[in-house]
Amino acid sequence: MASPKHPKQHARLPPPKQKQKQRPLLLRRAMLHSCLCFLLGLLTGLAPSDWADAHLFRDAVVRAINDTAAQLRHYHYNYYQQQQQQPLPLPQLQIPLQQPQLLVVVTTTGMSERERRAAGLTRTAHALRLVSPPVVWLVVEAARAAPATARLLRRTGVPYRHLTYTDNFTTTTSSEEERHHQRNVALGHIEQHRLRGVVLFAGLAEVYDLRLLEQLRQIRTLGAWPVATVWEQDKKVAVEGPVCSSTSTGAASAWFSSSSSAGAGLTITTSRPTPPLTSDDSSVHGFAFASDLLWDPARWDRFPTSEPDQSQDSIKFVQRLVVEDYNKTMAIPDYTNCSQVMVWRADTTLLL
């Protein structure tokens, strides 16, 4: 079969892709060369006319840079010297006010009945809730009666420590002996844990004026105040406490005891230079003392070797200090010259 006569009938092939990209690439190269030539001409026009001028221009620039750096170093050096010569301002420190002393209130329950114990603890708790902190209440009792008292103390809202013991006091004649033991348990706890503050023995039958509780924080060693005891059945009142002279400057100078009955006025029956050293409640509930006296070795050395039992008895030690250092005892309240009663003990049946 013959080949076609007309060559136009053959299909025309498209050009290769590389040839299509050659024109844009050449255009880019031309634009780049043009920009380089423009920049070269601009730099040539700004540069000095000869090489000597170019070197001078470079040296001038270097000198200007060095001079600027030297000036900056000189400025920083002078500023540092001035800061070293001038004292730094002290920060404004706020000196806190002296924190009031801790008030350690000790309450012994003795062999009281459950109902009377609950009533006395509730009354004392209401008074302590009104005292400004810091305050801690030490309640001491036998372990067998602890559960009921623990539930009561948790509801008072007063910071407390419940101290118990397992010693057995069962005879009716050992009530004072048990109270004596309870006070030693409390003082042992204070000494062991170094509760630094003012210690007050608060009985279940006592009613306090809140002003007295606040003034106790002023005690540095010993303090004393008048106490009024009321017997409801006998219709009798007894008051005892320190005597302040006009020249004592707030310190106790003597001790008085007075009593009255129904139909009779209040008369002073006893006056002595120091308080009596007895084992009843009146010898501890009318005083407060700084707790650091308990671990002061200089004071413990006062006990003679012939009385070893007292050196192991904290409450007897405190009572003896009250007698020996009575002329250093702070009389409370000081602003009434020891003439105002701020503690009342109601009914001897509640003296526990």
Side-chain angles (χ1 to χ4, degrees), residues 149-205:
T149 302
R151 290 191 296 268
L152 186 150
L153 294 176
R154 285 194 294 266
R155 298 192 300 265
T156 59
V158 179
Y160 71 93
R161 296 187 182 183
H162 193 191
L163 309 180
T164 61
Y165 56 92
T166 58
D167 303 71
N168 190 13
F169 297 89
T170 56
T171 61
T172 57
T173 58
S174 62
S175 58
E176 179 58 36
E177 182 181 354
E178 184 171 9
R179 288 196 295 270
H180 189 89
H181 176 74
Q182 290 180 344
R183 294 168 192 147
N184 280 328
V185 169
L187 295 182
H189 180 84
I190 294 172
E191 183 178 1
Q192 178 183 359
H193 296 277
R194 290 297 192 268
L195 300 181
R196 188 178 300 274
V198 178
V199 181
L200 166 69
F201 288 98
L204 296 179

Side-chain angles (χ1 to χ4, degrees), residues 76-208:
H76 287 292
Y77 177 78
N78 293 337
Y79 178 78
Y80 177 76
Q81 292 295 331
Q82 293 177 2
Q83 294 296 324
Q84 289 293 103
Q85 295 176 0
Q86 296 179 359
L88 295 176
L90 295 177
Q92 299 295 331
L93 299 178
Q94 295 183 356
I95 301 177
L97 298 177
Q98 184 179 3
Q99 185 177 5
Q101 288 199 85
L102 172 67
L103 183 59
V104 184
V105 181
V106 178
T107 298
T108 57
T109 59
M111 301 177 64
S112 60
E113 298 177 0
R114 179 178 177 181
E115 292 76 10
R116 291 185 176 181
R117 184 189 306 120
L121 290 175
T122 302
R123 178 172 51 224
T124 306
H126 287 323
L128 295 181
R129 290 178 61 182
L130 302 176
V131 179
S132 59
V135 59
V136 61
W137 188 19
L138 304 185
V139 179
V140 190
E141 67 175 346
R144 61 182 180 275
T149 302
R151 290 191 296 268
L152 186 150
L153 294 176
R154 285 194 294 266
R155 298 192 300 265
T156 59
V158 179
Y160 71 93
R161 296 187 182 183
H162 193 191
L163 309 180
T164 61
Y165 56 92
T166 58
D167 303 71
N168 190 13
F169 297 89
T170 56
T171 61
T172 57
T173 58
S174 62
S175 58
E176 179 58 36
E177 182 181 354
E178 184 171 9
R179 288 196 295 270
H180 189 89
H181 176 74
Q182 290 180 344
R183 294 168 192 147
N184 280 328
V185 169
L187 295 182
H189 180 84
I190 294 172
E191 183 178 1
Q192 178 183 359
H193 296 277
R194 290 297 192 268
L195 300 181
R196 188 178 300 274
V198 178
V199 181
L200 166 69
F201 288 98
L204 296 179
E206 296 176 1
V207 180
Y208 290 93

